[in-house]
Amino acid sequence: MDIKINKSGVWVTVERNVDVSTPDIALTQFVQEMHGTSEYQVQLTESETQSARAVSYRNESDNALLELLCDEVLPQLSSQLTAETADKLSTCLAARLEIKQRYPKPA
């Protein structure tokens, strides 16, 4: 990722290829010490943006979507599936249920 600071109303790149795992506090301290400001922006490359998006999907929405599909949507649709597909779905949902029962959510 690149770091940009505001110079006279224009965002100027001052550092390139900074590790995306660098904590915000370290970035703020670096920019303050090297450039005399704590106002900065980071610009991710396309691959960094795609990677961050994938991680966010996994952490923030994929689990909720999977829960919704497995617990509500797929059971309702199973009657509309071919017998073979319905059997595969039942096997997957049964395996998922067994795992949920083996590792229940804490009370």
Side-chain angles (χ1 to χ4, degrees):
M1 74 180 166
D2 294 345
I3 299 175
K4 296 182 172 194
I5 62 170
N6 191 333
K7 287 190 175 185
S8 303
V10 177
W11 290 97
V12 178
T13 301
V14 293
E15 292 293 326
R16 294 194 179 278
N17 301 317
V18 177
D19 189 329
V20 294
S21 65
T22 306
D24 288 342
I25 187 122
L27 294 174
T28 301
Q29 184 177 8
F30 171 78
V31 171
Q32 181 66 44
E33 289 176 6
M34 298 300 292
H35 302 284
T37 181
S38 59
E39 185 180 357
Y40 67 93
Q41 291 181 341
V42 295
Q43 182 174 1
L44 301 176
T45 65
E46 184 176 342
S47 65
E48 290 168 337
T49 300
Q50 290 173 348
S51 176
R53 186 180 297 131
V55 168
S56 292
Y57 284 150
R58 272 194 310 273
N59 293 337
E60 298 170 29
S61 70
D62 286 358
N63 288 337
L65 178 60
L66 183 61
E67 294 261 335
L68 175 66
L69 288 172
C70 290
D71 294 343
E72 297 180 32
V73 176
L74 293 175
Q76 291 178 26
L77 295 176
S78 64
S79 64
Q80 300 171 26
L81 302 173
T82 65
E84 182 181 349
T85 303
D87 286 345
K88 289 178 182 178
L89 175 60
S90 292
T91 301
C92 289
L93 293 177
R96 186 173 185 282
L97 181 60
E98 190 275 324
I99 292 169
K100 285 178 96 173
Q101 290 171 346
R102 189 177 344 141
Y103 303 105
K105 291 183 180 178

